[in-house]
Amino acid sequence: MLRIGLLFLALTLGACGRGVPDDARVVVAGDSVMAWNRVEGASVADGLSRALDVPVGDVSLPYASVSGVTGAGPLNIARQVGRLDAPWVVVNGGANDLGIGCGRANQGMLEALITPDGSKGAIPKLVRGLTERGSRVVWADYYTSPKFAGTPCARLYADMEQRLGRMAEAMPAVFFVNMGDVIATSDSAMFDSDRIHPSPEGSRRIAALVAEAIRAADPTLR
């Protein structure tokens, strides 16, 4: 029943999403970090649209995972982006694949998501599919939330961050940003009441970080 409830929540929130306009210059994909604050018009996609002053699509959904471990269809981030060909795609993911606890078993899932050199796994495959269709990709790495600071999750996510950085270095059309650069674990104003997801201000800061990376690489969006 819990899984059904979460699926219903995800699809309900998705129904309130922005969709993908025909003239979208940027599309946001991924999990609840990207989708959060959408109902209030304050999600990452909303912030990007305001910051860049261009049409921005949004296919992100709460509970989505890279590998589809939490569900199929739009809850599989690889399927979210499977047909996208926008000039820019902003994407995150992996938290719902790794799950709660981040124990020893999750190291195997990390290997499936991305290998130590950043060249293989579900994430590089997803990103490569986008770049082969002509999109440039901003991969937004997670911040450390107060809920999981100091737990084994922090170490596992630090390992994933390094791997994602190596992936981006090896792919000219991929740009890596770290949401932790603008979301401090100690700043409660950046988080929703669950101490995991971003507050509206947190989403705005993430959008500003991504917008800066896009502007630096794309003169048409300056």
Side-chain angles (χ1 to χ4, degrees):
M1 289 298 295
L2 176 60
R3 186 180 181 85
I4 294 172
L6 288 169
L7 176 60
F8 177 78
L9 173 62
L11 295 178
T12 299
L13 289 174
C16 301
R18 300 170 57 88
V20 182
D22 291 339
D23 57 348
R25 299 287 302 279
V26 182
V27 178
V28 175
D31 61 26
S32 56
V33 171
M34 293 299 182
W36 218 247
N37 303 306
R38 181 185 288 152
V39 174
E40 300 93 328
S43 67
V44 172
D46 291 307
L48 273 172
S49 183
R50 286 187 284 268
L52 296 174
D53 195 26
V54 296
V56 175
D58 186 2
V59 296
S60 64
L61 275 178
Y63 206 52
S65 60
V66 175
S67 64
V69 69
T70 56
L75 292 181
N76 182 332
I77 297 171
R79 293 200 175 189
Q80 286 180 6
V81 305
R83 296 185 179 181
L84 296 180
D85 59 358
W88 284 94
V89 177
V90 180
V91 61
N92 81 321
N96 291 316
D97 301 84
L98 295 174
I100 301 297
C102 301
R104 186 174 300 175
N106 297 94
Q107 189 68 38
M109 176 56 77
L110 178 58
E111 296 297 320
L113 289 174
I114 185 165
T115 54
D117 65 359
S119 67
K120 296 182 179 66
I123 290 176
K125 180 180 179 181
L126 179 159
V127 170
R128 199 171 288 115
L130 286 166
T131 60
E132 288 174 353
R133 292 196 298 275
S135 296
R136 284 188 276 186
V137 177
V138 177
W139 189 277
D141 186 49
Y142 294 103
Y143 49 76
T144 301
S145 70
K147 183 123 179 158
F148 297 109
T151 72
C153 284
R155 294 190 294 273
L156 191 67
Y157 279 83
D159 190 358
M160 185 165 72
E161 176 188 341
Q162 293 178 348
R163 298 178 184 208
L164 291 166
R166 294 181 192 117
M167 175 188 73
E169 287 175 359
M171 297 183 182
V174 179
F175 303 83
F176 176 83
V177 298
N178 186 342
M179 292 187 274
D181 290 344
V182 294
I183 305 292
T185 308
S186 59
D187 188 350
S188 61
M190 294 300 103
F191 298 93
D192 202 348
S193 58
D194 64 3
R195 300 171 64 234
I196 298 174
H197 294 98
S199 65
E201 174 60 16
S203 292
R204 187 198 68 78
R205 289 198 183 188
I206 294 167
L209 175 72
V210 172
E212 182 180 1
I214 292 175
R215 284 197 202 97
D218 189 344
T220 69
L221 291 173
R222 292 178 187 172

